[in-house]
Amino acid sequence: MIRDIIEEIKKVNQMVDLHSTNKDSDFMLKQYQSKRNQLISELEYELEKLNDFDNWKDWKNSVYL
């Protein structure tokens, strides 16, 4: 899941770069920037879940040692 989001961010970044050089595509630029922000939020959420899971594993291991 995290890798998929990162790959999607890379693709969107390429589109942002492409549309940022073209003055006529301001609407598309804003759309891609919004999509990138959404993907970054999803990535942050997935990383938080992963961190929570790691913290849970550490706690579980410390309790059952």
Side-chain angles (χ1 to χ4, degrees):
M1 180 71 177
I2 292 175
R3 287 185 180 154
D4 296 336
I5 295 172
I6 291 171
E7 287 304 313
E8 187 71 21
I9 290 172
K10 289 178 182 179
K11 291 175 187 175
V12 170
N13 277 338
Q14 289 174 343
M15 297 308 293
V16 166
D17 291 343
L18 174 71
H19 288 282
S20 66
T21 60
N22 186 354
K23 303 290 186 212
D24 296 328
S25 58
D26 192 41
F27 175 75
M28 291 303 296
L29 177 61
K30 290 185 186 320
Q31 293 293 322
Y32 284 117
Q33 288 171 332
S34 176
K35 178 67 174 175
R36 179 176 58 193
N37 290 340
Q38 174 193 356
L39 289 167
I40 289 171
S41 294
E42 288 178 28
L43 179 61
E44 289 173 337
Y45 175 73
E46 290 298 324
L47 289 172
E48 286 174 13
K49 285 190 343 186
L50 185 60
N51 187 47
D52 290 345
F53 178 71
D54 283 343
N55 289 339
W56 175 80
K57 282 186 352 189
D58 290 343
W59 172 82
K60 182 180 172 193
N61 288 338
S62 69
V63 169
Y64 292 107
L65 284 177

